[in-house]
Amino acid sequence: MSNQWEVYLTRFDDHVASVRVNMAHTNPEFRPDFLNTLLYVWVKLQTPTADGLTTDEEAQRLYQIEDRLDEFLGAEYGAVPVGMVTTEGRREFYFYAESGDHLHEELEPVLAEFPDYAFQFGDKSDPEWQHYFGYLFPSPTELQWMQDLKTVTQLEEHGDPLTPRPVQHWFYFRTAESRDHVKALLIVEGFEVDHEPDVENAFGLVLLRTDAVDLDSIHRVTAPLTRLAMEHDGQYDGWETMVIQK
């Protein structure tokens, strides 16, 4: 199985959540039909932060629990770890396996190795991987936040001060009419048309505007652009800018 782990912050029912998910499973090649059962193990945190997440000190103990679960469920059930959520003072581990037969009898002795922790666990049929795509997988704006983080990190690695500068934003649409409508809306917001690169079966649009490129600032730009493109049958394809040296 391939690994492509990503981490992002979100909110579930108005509670902060930290999600770690293996994005490789978007590829059907890494979702074999026989892995049709979701296994879950929830761990109650002993010293959660004020917003229900994990302290650095407790994280080390949770890594030990994670390693043990990976080892045992992988060996006994052929289980594949797909995600982990920390929220509301608990850590949730999720796996897909061929079955959850006898899980309670088999897993209880393993969890007893950590007597200072309280656990909930179980299994359910999920052949369509609905929990993976509906709960663990990031939304389009969360995906864009992850891309923004990667780009900003690359700029920081070059010593960039992340100050305002011209930023290119790329879009693709199914129709020229959708492109023209979004273009008109964004020109009002201070964007300028750089060029319109048409490709096979898509109508491209590259806009330009000067903005700061620290993570908070640029994501306040890209999140609404992502939503706007989706609302008009299109896709926001990210941003580019020059590197500025201090």
Side-chain angles (χ1 to χ4, degrees), residues 46-146:
Q46 295 180 345
T47 57
T49 63
D51 53 7
L53 301 182
T54 311
T55 62
D56 290 341
E57 293 77 13
E58 188 168 16
Q60 301 306 312
R61 185 66 167 155
L62 294 170
Y63 292 146
Q64 295 174 4
I65 295 174
E66 179 181 5
D67 289 345
R68 188 69 177 98
L69 291 174
D70 288 354
E71 176 189 34
F72 175 78
L73 294 175
E76 299 299 323
Y77 288 86
V80 175
V82 297
M84 181 183 73
V85 176
T86 308
T87 188
E88 295 187 79
R90 67 176 178 268
R91 176 157 292 183
E92 308 169 0
F93 298 98
Y94 294 101
F95 303 78
Y96 277 92
E98 189 169 356
S99 80
D101 292 347
H102 311 295
L103 182 65
H104 279 265
E105 296 89 340
E106 297 286 346
L107 191 55
E108 283 280 8
V110 176
L111 300 182
E113 298 172 14
F114 305 93
D116 46 338
Y117 278 94
F119 295 90
Q120 298 179 41
F121 62 94
D123 64 279
K124 69 173 184 178
S125 176
D126 188 10
E128 301 299 323
W129 285 48
Q130 292 180 355
H131 196 82
Y132 175 81
F133 287 106
Y135 181 63
L136 294 171
F137 199 77
S139 69
T141 53
E142 289 162 348
L143 277 170
Q144 185 55 50
W145 181 88
M146 292 156 62

Side-chain angles (χ1 to χ4, degrees), residues 127-227:
E128 301 299 323
W129 285 48
Q130 292 180 355
H131 196 82
Y132 175 81
F133 287 106
Y135 181 63
L136 294 171
F137 199 77
S139 69
T141 53
E142 289 162 348
L143 277 170
Q144 185 55 50
W145 181 88
M146 292 156 62
Q147 293 302 314
D148 293 342
L149 175 61
K150 291 178 181 178
T151 304
V152 171
T153 300
Q154 289 173 353
L155 292 172
E156 290 177 323
E157 289 172 351
H158 286 86
D160 194 299
L162 309 181
T163 50
R165 83 287 304 274
V167 180
Q168 283 184 325
H169 299 272
W170 292 72
F171 302 81
Y172 291 97
F173 298 91
R174 291 185 182 274
T175 67
E177 290 78 12
S178 294
R179 175 178 64 185
D180 292 344
H181 185 63
V182 169
K183 177 172 62 177
L185 291 173
L186 292 178
I187 286 174
V188 175
E189 297 294 327
F191 290 89
E192 301 176 2
V193 177
D194 188 290
H195 60 291
E196 298 181 359
D198 292 344
V199 297
E200 185 177 0
N201 300 321
F203 296 85
L205 174 64
V206 182
L207 298 180
L208 191 67
R209 194 176 76 174
T210 296
D211 285 292
V213 293
D214 61 274
L215 183 58
D216 287 343
S217 296
I218 196 63
H219 190 63
R220 284 196 294 270
V221 176
T222 64
L225 294 182
T226 300
R227 291 191 290 267

